[in-house]
Structures are given as structure tokens and as C-alpha cells.
Amino acid sequence: MFSQTYYVLRSKRDGQYLAARPRQEEGQGFLMLFAADHEALTYVNQHAATLADQFSVESVAGGQLKTLLSRWGYGGIGLVKDPLTPSVEFLTLA
């Protein structure tokens, strides 16, 4: 997992990353990761087409994930398996 490159969606407006927040009261979310840049674009076009132009796709090396999660206060990752459905596998990193 840490030797792979992943892709994230980042807001052009405020710089925030796309994250799932299943428990809003706890404040920790899951950073949404995609295996390919076209999967990230498919996801945003499928589920938020009117907002698609407000996001950019960035690559993240697997070795940077732990630092990124810590810096932004995420509780884990949401690895998107199918951007159309969507099918997401939620993982916490220890």
C-alpha cells in the first residue's frame, strides 16, 4: 500500500481534500483515495457533476499517506474500489 501512488480530489476553493465523514460529531473523516486519476474524475463527475470544475486531482505517494492523514486530522482512508457505484473500503491506519 505504501509503495503505490494514489490520487485525491482537492477543492480549488479552499484547499480541502475530499473526505467521507460518517460520524460528523467526532470530527475525524476518511481521506478518499483513488487508484487512478481517471477514477477520481469519474467519481466527481458521477456524484457531483455541477461541482466537478471546483476540484483538481493530485497524486500522493503511498509513503506520504501517514503524514498527510496526521497533518489534516483524518482518522483513516476511504479507498474507492468502484467510482460509479460507489464502492469504498474504509481503513484506519495505526
Side-chain angles (χ1 to χ4, degrees), residues 5-24:
T5 298
Y6 295 96
Y7 297 87
V8 294
L9 289 166
R10 193 166 194 178
S11 170
K12 292 178 184 178
R13 179 176 289 190
D14 63 8
Q16 294 286 323
Y17 292 101
L18 180 68
R21 301 193 189 280
R23 293 179 214 99
Q24 190 69 351

Side-chain angles (χ1 to χ4, degrees), residues 1-7 31 33 59-70 75-77 79 91-94:
M1 172 174 216
F2 292 108
S3 63
Q4 193 171 346
T5 298
Y6 295 96
Y7 297 87
L31 177 66
L33 293 180
S59 62
V60 176
Q64 296 174 313
L65 282 177
K66 202 163 196 167
T67 303
L68 182 74
L69 295 173
S70 176
I77 61 169
L79 186 57
L91 305 165
T92 56
L93 298 177

Side-chain angles (χ1 to χ4, degrees), residues 43-91:
Y43 182 89
V44 74
N45 284 322
Q46 176 72 22
H47 303 290
T50 59
L51 301 174
D53 64 337
Q54 296 181 25
F55 287 93
S56 62
V57 178
E58 295 182 359
S59 62
V60 176
Q64 296 174 313
L65 282 177
K66 202 163 196 167
T67 303
L68 182 74
L69 295 173
S70 176
R71 183 180 324 132
W72 286 82
Y74 293 117
I77 61 169
L79 186 57
V80 179
K81 298 293 189 177
D82 181 356
L84 294 174
T85 309
S87 175
V88 180
E89 183 178 346
F90 291 99
L91 305 165

